[in-house]
């Protein structure tokens, strides 16, 4: 079995990924972001339940802290995108949108809905 005729391209930056592939990869990245963001949420939850002063500390950080609001907005944005992309994958698992055109259309719809959710989360947090 000769592999001399196979093209080998190990430079991922030179590959033009189609939109459905980028949305699928972003879905995985948003899941990792959510998993890591749970550290912040669990810490804030633990501090807020430790005492009334801890609750006031977390409340003040969420109300006036730039970093806390930025993290919260990032987590809500990742959650919104991950949810919409997950629904897209479920719809594809049911046999809809599996063609090239359907995958492209579903990816575009995922980006549009996610952008709206990100904007809504930003308005709510800020």
């Amino acid at each position: 079995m000769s592999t001399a005729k196979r093209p080998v391209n190990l430079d991922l930056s030179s590959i033009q990924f189609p939109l459905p592939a980028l949305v699928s990869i972003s879905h995985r990245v948003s899941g990792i972001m959510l998993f890591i963001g749970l550290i912040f949420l669990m810490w804030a939850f633990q501090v807020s339940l430790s005492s009334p002063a801890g609750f006031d500390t977390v409340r003040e950080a969420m109300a006036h802290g730039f970093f806390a609001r930025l993290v919260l907005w990032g987590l809500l944005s990742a959650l919104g995108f991950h949810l919409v992309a997950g629904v897209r994958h479920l719809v594809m698992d049911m046999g809809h949108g599996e063609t090239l055109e359907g995958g492209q259309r579903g990816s575009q719809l995922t980006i549009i809905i996610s952008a709206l959710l990100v904007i809504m989360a930003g308005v709510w947090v800020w």
Side-chain angles (χ1 to χ4, degrees):
M1 193 164 162
S2 174
T3 59
K5 294 182 181 181
R6 286 182 41 190
V8 177
N9 184 2
L10 300 177
D11 183 17
L12 293 178
S13 65
S14 68
I15 297 174
Q16 293 257 349
F17 290 107
L19 186 61
L22 293 174
V23 170
S24 182
I25 292 167
S26 299
H27 180 242
R28 294 169 191 220
V29 170
S30 68
I32 293 168
M33 288 172 52
L34 287 171
F35 182 76
I36 292 171
L38 280 176
I39 295 168
F40 171 76
L41 290 177
M42 292 297 180
W43 171 81
F45 190 58
Q46 189 269 331
V47 169
S48 71
L49 292 178
S50 64
S51 67
F55 179 80
D56 289 336
T57 302
V58 172
R59 186 179 57 157
E60 283 297 314
M62 293 297 181
H64 302 293
F66 176 78
F67 181 71
R69 287 172 138 184
L70 185 65
V71 169
L72 182 62
W73 182 50
L75 287 173
L76 288 174
S77 299
L79 179 64
F81 178 79
H82 195 75
L83 176 71
V84 173
V87 169
R88 173 184 169 260
H89 281 290
L90 286 174
V91 168
M92 289 176 63
D93 286 343
M94 291 187 289
H96 304 288
E98 291 180 333
T99 62
L100 289 175
E101 184 179 308
Q104 189 76 11
R105 202 173 288 150
S107 297
Q108 291 169 347
L109 192 60
T110 298
I111 291 172
I112 291 168
I113 294 171
S114 297
L116 291 173
L117 289 175
V118 167
I119 291 169
M120 288 174 24
V123 168
W124 183 63
V125 169
W126 299 102

